[in-house]
Amino acid sequence: MAALTIAAGTGNWFSALALGVTLLKCLLIPTYHSTDFEVHRNWLAITHSLPISQWYYEATSEWTLDYPPFFAWFEYILSHVAKYFDQEMLNVRNLNYSSSRTLLFQRFSVIFMDVLFVYAVHECCKCIDGKKVGKELTEKPKFILSVLLLWNFGLLIVDHIHFQYNGFLFGLMLLSIARLFQKRHMEGAFLFAVLLHFKHIYLYVAPAYGVYLLRSYCFTANKPDGSIRWNSFSFVRVISLGLVVFLVSALSLGPFLALNQLPQVFSRLFPFKRGLCHAYWAPNFWALYNGLDKVLSVIGLKLKFLDPNNIPKASMTSGLVQQFQHTVLPSVTPLATLICTLIAILPSIFCLWFKPQGPRGFLRCLTLCALSSFMFGWHVHEKAILLAILPMSLLSVQKAGDASIFLILTTTGHYSLFPLLFTAPELPIKILLMLLFTIYSISSLKTLFRQSFTVATQAGVQWH
Amino acid sequence: MEKWYLMTIVVLIGLTVRWTVSLNSYSGAGKPPMFGDYEAQRHWQEITFNLPVKQWYFNSSDNNLQYWGLDYPPLTAYHSLLCAYVAKFINPDWIALHTSRGFESQAHKLFMRTTVLIADLLIYIPAVVLYCCCLKDISTKKKIANALCILLYPGLILIDYGHFQNIYNSVSLGFALWGVLGVSCDWDLLGSLAFCLAINYKQMELYHSLPFFCFLLGKCFKKGLKGKGFVLLVKLACTVVASFVLCWLPFFTEREQTLQVLRRLFPVDRGLFEDKVANIWCSFNVFLKIRDILPRHIQLIMSFCFTFLSLLPACIKLILQPSSKGFKFTLVIEIIFCNIIFFLYHFRPVCLVLSEIPFMSTWFLLVSTFSLLPLLLKDELLMPSVVTTMAFFIACVTSFSIFEKTSEEELQLKSFSISVRKYLPCFTFLSRMIQYLFLISVITMVLLTLTTVTLDPPQKLPDLFSVLVCFVSCLNFLFFLVYFNIIIMWDSKSGRNQKKIT
């Protein structure tokens, strides 16, 4: 009976949470899936049926391979499992093929890969010290953080309904953050480098990593007042970091360098021709900019300031992915967005360099980098808000101030993901899950910080 | 954490699970000419909307009783009428007389599923929440965990939202639960009213009527038949009569109407072997071809006699010593027994004792879900059933730490084992035995599920797996029957002994 107790995980709340959310994911299998489903099926087919030299050139389907090589290798490995489910999905010509076995395989692959995410959450929970807060399990920071991460509404609907593989990628990111907290910097750097070569969207937060590692790892000691001590610079560390990044990149891009395909790979990875805004607008600064432009153009037409013949035909709101010009306000180029983003992240980078506050400061900078890139980036997907929400969860269980910002961020961020699921059967699901997550996050964080005000003079608990 | 936050979260989880299960297919999907129970429900909306009340239960050119004729009491008909009005507002084609037969579309499926969810939300879920809040002697956390487990019970979810057979079970069971709640909390009139509504919704609830009757009678006796008790009795009688009259009003105008409705509700010529389900006759049939030996009406009479006789001890005790706990347990016994003899999907009362004997209740509810296996497989509901069963199991395990509660005292078998030990001093291994039985039972169920899914039955015995499922479930149910009877009997004995001492 004891063995069964252990096996059933009695008293082990983390396993129960992880299992519970996995079961929910299984129930979501028959829900609507977006074109991303076909995207990944196509990539399975490409990597399975074609030689490497063709991977970034193949264009039978409109969903060409536009993730870095590690992801392509990941799809390749998956395809070898896929052939036992349904051989037909691996045919490049089978566009929009979605038999029930294909669906089952793809959904299960996402659910399975989330194991990495669960492990990462487990590691993050270890980094939190919640001894000062109440004894009730559901009020411990570890428990709250686990629920906020494992049952995150955005991740659930993007990964398990809309269909993507964000789970294990965020797992890699959270794991690298956890390693940095545990002072295992080399591992953290390695994990992040690997992550970059899985999905290059994480470049959004690369400045935070770079500056933090340089400042807090390569400079081994600080002066008493916290400022930089130049003679504590460790060449060994810099070189080893550089080596790690170089080796990972070599492993990833090496084969394509040898085949002289790098320009093609980069053009696939960074398709600037896709336009300022994604087909569904990400709620960032440029959405406001476009909206203003539209309003001004309408006013201008009404007041006869503008000549109707000069208005370009392509409309921003048509839901298509293309480039076009603004009518009233100046057009925005990719360089302009880059400059805006850099200006936005400058304050946090400065803080990270001049006043390092250890891993917590790094995490704050990371969240700010993600948010800034989301606000000012070129062709941002609305799913990118998750890049800010998930790391912020870690901060939210530590300080009351962070918690309130987190609540605003997460509620609006999740709500902004609603247009991703527009079918009628999924409407109750997204409303119910959103309510579930929002009510839980608000009530649990409120309870957590009400308690700690009575316990400690200074709100919040310390990281290791 | 505030109680109502947690309870809201539990309800939301329950609703989410229900809706995601409903995304799957339903019974009779795409299978003309009769389709399935989904079509039956749609048809009833068509009938009640388009025909006058007098024709609802009669065979006519407009209302072919062979094609899913109405065979539930009037309240179901009124409910269908209500749904039909909503349907008419959205898309009249769904309930057009004659032409809408076999209508199937995505929008319609959404509509039907939504009606089930709303009925659940309005009647069943509040009953569960209120019931758990009114439980005595347990912590807030346990109350909420109780609510979670009850709401996650796979049997109800799979039948109402997946299979779509006899749907709106949640309505009749919700009413019955309100009834139990009312009666346990001394709101007797409300309880009996709710229970009458339950009976008028689905006549199956009559099975529960015996414990209700005995408990209320016991209460009246306790209050003294010459004074308050008599007043209570009269009030109850009036409530019952009034509710019945209200529901049946349109059908009381003519004797023929009433008779026809009764004939539709109790089709005594349909027999007991409809669909091989967990009942004792099927199991007996394996050994002794009862079907061929006894004529149908004898089988029916025997069944009723068995039910009545088996319940007699518990009911008598309930009359003499009415207690909320005894009432709950009697309901449980009653339902197990009725399920063995007849065919029911009503395992809900066992949820009521979940908080008191978590281990046995969880085991029983798992078996009850397992017994539905053949039906679920027919409708391709394997994945949702496995997932919901596992979710339910995990919820019970973590909420109640059931594996730690297998000592004799926890299983409420202490007095029983003490009595047995008077004759057999070495009878100390009771809890061990039960643990092993549980293991065997679970392993058997898992193995049988796996074989049913992966292997094909041999040609000579095409129903082998269904019958095996039936048989195993029946064995388990017999065990539970014995167990719950023991609890009631020995509870009463210890009660009497204590009274003698003091």
Side-chain angles (χ1 to χ4, degrees):
Chain A
M1 215 60 197
L4 223 121
T5 310
I6 297 167
T10 313
N12 189 346
W13 52 268
F14 190 81
S15 316
L17 282 175
L19 265 169
V21 80
T22 311
L23 290 171
L24 181 63
K25 291 172 191 171
C26 291
L27 281 177
L28 291 174
I29 287 180
T31 51
Y32 150 83
H33 52 81
S34 69
T35 48
D36 278 334
F37 182 82
E38 165 62 15
V39 170
H40 287 279
R41 186 214 61 77
N42 188 39
W43 294 355
L44 280 173
I46 291 179
T47 52
H48 188 87
S49 343
L50 302 173
I52 302 180
S53 54
Q54 291 289 313
W55 285 0
Y56 284 94
Y57 280 95
E58 170 60 37
T60 313
S61 160
E62 56 176 318
W63 310 117
T64 54
L65 188 58
D66 55 2
Y67 276 15
F70 275 179
F71 202 89
W73 287 111
F74 165 68
E75 293 276 10
Y76 176 70
I77 296 173
L78 269 184
S79 69
H80 281 285
V81 181
K83 65 184 179 202
Y84 295 111
F85 279 76
D86 189 346
Q87 190 75 14
E88 291 301 307
M89 76 169 105
L90 299 173
N91 187 338
V92 181
R93 310 234 164 261
N94 274 344
L95 297 182
N96 292 312
Y97 183 76
S98 59
S99 68
S100 57
R101 284 181 155 226
T102 311
L103 184 73
L104 213 63
F105 169 71
Q106 299 247 61
R107 292 279 196 209
F108 269 128
S109 64
V110 183
I111 296 174
F112 178 71
M113 289 309 295
D114 273 357
V115 158
L116 190 55
F117 184 70
V118 170
Y119 174 65
V121 172
H122 186 75
E123 290 293 305
C124 283
C125 287
K126 278 205 267 187
C127 298
I128 300 184
D129 174 27
K131 290 194 201 100
K132 286 186 197 142
V133 203
K135 299 211 180 96
E136 176 79 43
L137 171 68
T138 51
E139 290 167 9
K140 284 197 161 49
K142 284 189 213 256
F143 182 83
I144 298 177
L145 181 66
S146 306
V147 177
L148 289 178
L149 286 174
L150 286 173
W151 287 70
N152 186 292
F153 167 75
L155 209 54
L156 268 175
I157 65 166
V158 168
D159 264 17
H160 300 279
I161 300 184
H162 183 81
F163 197 84
Q164 271 205 333
Y165 283 92
N166 290 311
F168 84 96
L169 295 172
F170 277 114
L172 278 173
M173 186 174 94
L174 287 175
L175 198 58
S176 78
I177 293 175
R179 292 288 177 252
L180 290 180
F181 272 95
Q182 292 161 353
K183 306 256 184 279
R184 288 149 76 168
H185 295 95
M186 291 295 286
E187 285 183 44
F190 169 72
L191 285 166
F192 184 68
V194 167
L195 177 64
L196 272 182
H197 286 277
F198 263 106
K199 192 168 178 181
H200 50 297
I201 202 177
Y202 294 92
L203 272 173
Y204 285 176
V205 300
Y209 272 89
V211 173
Y212 175 70
L213 284 170
L214 196 59
R215 174 70 179 84
S216 301
Y217 181 60
C218 298
F219 287 96
T220 46
N222 288 330
K223 289 199 192 132
D225 63 354
S227 63
I228 199 166
R229 185 180 285 194
W230 291 97
N231 56 5
S232 69
F233 186 74
S234 160
F235 272 108
V236 175
R237 288 190 172 184
V238 165
I239 304 246
S240 43
L241 276 178
L243 211 62
V244 161
V245 174
F246 175 74
L247 280 173
V248 171
S249 309
L251 198 62
S252 155
L253 298 169
F256 298 96
L257 187 64
L259 290 165
N260 271 331
Q261 288 187 347
L262 270 186
Q264 171 70 0
V265 172
F266 279 120
S267 76
R268 284 285 179 90
L269 255 52
F270 300 102
F272 283 106
K273 293 220 171 20
R274 280 208 195 147
L276 178 62
C277 287
H278 187 50
Y280 299 116
W281 293 8
N284 63 3
F285 176 76
W286 303 121
L288 289 174
Y289 192 82
N290 292 340
L292 188 62
D293 185 65
K294 191 90 187 162
V295 163
L296 287 176
S297 70
V298 166
I299 293 176
L301 277 174
K302 280 258 159 65
L303 298 177
K304 305 267 194 291
F305 281 144
L306 296 171
D307 181 5
N309 296 327
N310 287 343
I311 309 286
K313 301 289 181 220
S315 154
M316 271 233 177
T317 48
S318 63
L320 297 175
V321 174
Q322 59 189 304
Q323 262 185 325
F324 64 98
Q325 310 290 332
H326 287 92
T327 41
V328 177
L329 300 170
S331 286
V332 180
T333 60
L335 188 63
T337 61
L338 185 64
I339 294 175
C340 288
T341 315
L342 282 175
I343 296 176
I345 71 177
L346 226 45
S348 45
I349 294 286
F350 270 8
C351 274
L352 193 60
W353 179 268
F354 290 114
K355 286 199 179 112
Q357 287 169 346
R360 207 186 335 151
F362 156 70
L363 194 54
R364 237 178 256 288
C365 181
L366 189 146
T367 317
L368 280 167
C369 285
L371 264 175
S372 314
S373 306
F374 178 80
M375 283 304 281
F376 295 105
W378 177 269
H379 199 83
V380 173
H381 292 225
E382 67 268 285
K383 304 175 210 112
I385 193 69
L386 289 175
L387 215 69
I389 291 180
L390 287 173
M392 186 85 201
S393 320
L394 286 161
L395 287 172
S396 69
V397 294
Q398 306 297 288
K399 256 195 172 169
D402 287 338
S404 30
I405 295 180
F406 169 75
L407 285 174
I408 300 174
L409 177 68
T410 197
T411 313
T412 30
H414 286 162
Y415 181 66
S416 73
L417 292 172
F418 265 33
L420 279 177
L421 303 179
F422 49 83
T423 47
E426 277 67 37
L427 180 69
I429 297 180
K430 72 184 182 194
I431 293 178
L432 288 170
L433 285 176
M434 173 85 184
L435 277 174
L436 192 64
F437 187 81
T438 313
I439 291 180
Y440 178 78
S441 52
I442 295 178
S443 59
S444 60
L445 288 174
K446 204 167 89 164
T447 316
L448 177 66
F449 291 110
R450 194 179 56 210
Q451 295 248 339
S452 68
F453 276 135
T454 58
V455 172
T457 46
Q458 194 175 32
V461 295
Q462 299 302 314
W463 287 92
H464 286 315
Chain B
M1 212 193 267
E2 300 290 353
K3 195 161 81 160
W4 71 268
Y5 278 125
L6 275 176
M7 200 54 105
T8 321
I9 289 173
V10 162
V11 167
L12 284 171
I13 293 178
L15 286 172
T16 312
V17 171
R18 279 160 166 72
W19 187 261
T20 45
V21 169
S22 77
L23 292 171
N24 291 287
S25 121
Y26 48 81
S27 79
K31 289 183 194 148
M34 286 299 277
F35 299 93
D37 288 281
Y38 177 91
E39 168 64 16
Q41 296 290 338
R42 191 214 55 75
H43 183 70
W44 294 344
Q45 290 172 11
E46 174 193 333
I47 293 292
T48 52
F49 186 78
N50 291 305
L51 298 178
V53 176
K54 302 247 182 282
Q55 289 186 22
W56 285 357
Y57 288 92
F58 280 96
N59 212 345
S60 68
S61 57
D62 285 333
N63 182 10
N64 180 7
L65 288 181
Q66 290 291 94
Y67 185 77
W68 302 117
L70 200 59
D71 52 3
Y72 281 129
L75 216 55
T76 303
Y78 302 146
H79 185 208
S80 296
L81 186 61
L82 188 64
C83 295
Y85 273 114
V86 180
K88 169 87 192 249
F89 183 68
I90 304 175
N91 182 352
D93 286 335
W94 290 344
I95 47 162
L97 195 57
H98 298 310
T99 49
S100 60
R101 285 226 180 148
F103 192 97
E104 281 179 315
S105 79
Q106 180 76 322
H108 187 239
K109 179 178 168 191
L110 219 61
F111 167 71
M112 296 294 272
R113 299 291 197 199
T114 314
T115 55
V116 181
L117 194 73
I118 292 180
D120 220 340
L121 193 57
L122 288 176
I123 300 177
Y124 180 64
I125 291 182
V128 172
V129 169
L130 212 62
Y131 175 77
C132 290
C133 291
C134 290
L135 284 173
K136 301 183 182 74
D137 300 328
I138 54 175
S139 66
T140 312
K141 200 169 140 214
K142 281 268 176 328
K143 287 186 191 177
I144 294 172
N146 211 354
L148 179 68
C149 293
I150 296 182
L151 285 178
L152 279 180
Y153 171 57
L156 181 63
I157 299 179
L158 291 167
I159 293 300
D160 265 14
Y161 291 88
H163 178 74
F164 223 88
Q165 157 105 327
N166 299 328
I167 57 162
Y168 306 121
N169 277 312
S170 46
V171 176
S172 62
L173 285 150
F175 278 134
L177 192 56
W178 281 109
V180 170
L181 187 63
V183 156
S184 311
C185 294
D186 288 329
W187 306 328
D188 293 324
L189 291 180
L190 185 71
S192 42
L193 174 68
F195 189 65
C196 290
L197 286 175
I199 297 182
N200 279 314
Y201 196 88
K202 284 199 198 267
Q203 67 272 35
M204 266 93 87
E205 295 296 330
L206 273 175
Y207 294 129
H208 294 152
S209 54
L210 201 56
F212 261 93
F213 177 70
C214 296
F215 186 44
L216 287 170
L217 200 61
K219 274 197 183 181
C220 293
F221 283 157
K222 199 164 153 191
K223 288 206 171 142
L225 213 52
K226 292 264 165 72
K228 282 193 187 159
F230 186 68
V231 172
L232 185 62
L233 195 62
V234 168
K235 275 198 225 171
L236 286 171
C238 289
T239 319
V240 170
V241 169
S243 50
F244 266 88
V245 165
L246 256 157
C247 290
W248 287 63
L249 203 56
F251 304 100
F252 275 154
T253 48
E254 288 166 15
R255 191 182 141 80
E256 184 54 34
Q257 282 277 338
T258 327
L259 280 179
Q260 174 68 0
V261 177
L262 284 172
R263 248 177 259 140
R264 289 298 299 167
L265 294 183
F266 301 105
V268 287
D269 42 340
R270 235 199 263 173
L272 296 165
F273 282 96
E274 253 184 72
D275 233 329
K276 293 167 194 45
V277 291
N279 64 61
I280 208 164
W281 299 119
C282 264
S283 309
F284 267 163
N285 211 43
V286 175
F287 305 114
L288 187 66
K289 297 281 171 200
I290 293 215
R291 206 197 312 219
D292 305 324
I293 297 179
L294 297 173
R296 272 185 175 158
H297 54 274
I298 301 277
Q299 286 171 15
L300 205 61
I301 294 175
M302 272 177 72
S303 313
F304 273 119
C305 287
F306 267 139
T307 317
F308 192 68
L309 283 172
S310 78
L311 286 178
L312 213 52
C315 287
I316 290 180
K317 193 230 154 190
L318 201 55
I319 298 180
L320 296 174
Q321 282 180 353
S323 75
S324 186
K325 185 172 157 192
F327 171 55
K328 280 191 247 182
F329 278 106
T330 315
L331 266 178
V332 168
I333 295 181
E334 207 256 317
I335 216 63
I336 302 176
F337 202 82
C338 284
N339 186 65
I340 297 182
I341 296 291
F342 304 99
F343 171 49
L344 277 180
Y345 287 121
H346 299 186
F347 304 108
R348 206 79 9 66
V350 185
C351 293
L352 300 179
V353 300
L354 200 59
S355 57
E356 300 185 32
I357 321 173
F359 177 68
M360 294 302 270
S361 315
T362 314
W363 183 2
F364 176 80
L365 291 165
L366 284 172
V367 172
S368 62
T369 313
F370 169 73
S371 66
L372 298 169
L373 190 66
L375 210 61
L376 298 171
L377 282 178
K378 227 170 33 171
D379 292 322
E380 294 154 27
L381 287 170
L382 180 65
M383 169 78 80
S385 43
V386 166
V387 168
T388 43
T389 311
M390 280 176 66
F392 174 72
F393 184 62
I394 291 172
C396 288
V397 164
T398 41
S399 313
F400 297 109
S401 315
I402 57 173
F403 293 121
E404 289 157 20
K405 295 212 175 118
T406 52
S407 68
E408 280 178 11
E409 191 166 304
E410 293 283 355
L411 292 174
Q412 313 224 354
L413 288 173
K414 204 165 178 79
S415 24
F416 169 68
S417 50
I418 291 177
S419 319
V420 174
R421 258 175 279 196
K422 285 189 202 148
Y423 305 104
L424 286 171
C426 55
F427 190 68
T428 48
F429 47 82
L430 189 60
S431 74
R432 268 268 128 138
M433 193 171 79
I434 290 187
Q435 288 171 6
Y436 283 133
L437 279 174
F438 173 74
L439 259 167
I440 296 174
S441 164
V442 167
I443 291 176
T444 322
M445 292 196 289
V446 170
L447 281 174
L448 208 49
T449 316
L450 282 170
T451 38
T452 320
V453 170
T454 45
L455 301 173
D456 285 322
Q459 289 243 333
K460 283 190 227 157
L461 306 161
D463 291 318
L464 178 68
F465 292 132
S466 314
V467 173
L468 274 177
V469 167
C470 189
F471 192 60
V472 167
S473 316
C474 192
L475 279 177
N476 277 294
F477 287 145
L478 280 171
F479 169 71
F480 287 117
L481 196 66
V482 168
Y483 169 76
F484 281 112
N485 263 311
I486 288 178
I487 290 190
I488 288 212
M489 289 303 118
W490 261 264
D491 189 46
S492 68
K493 276 209 175 138
S494 71
R496 264 184 255 147
N497 285 340
Q498 278 176 355
K499 281 196 173 148
K500 276 186 191 163
I501 291 169
T502 52

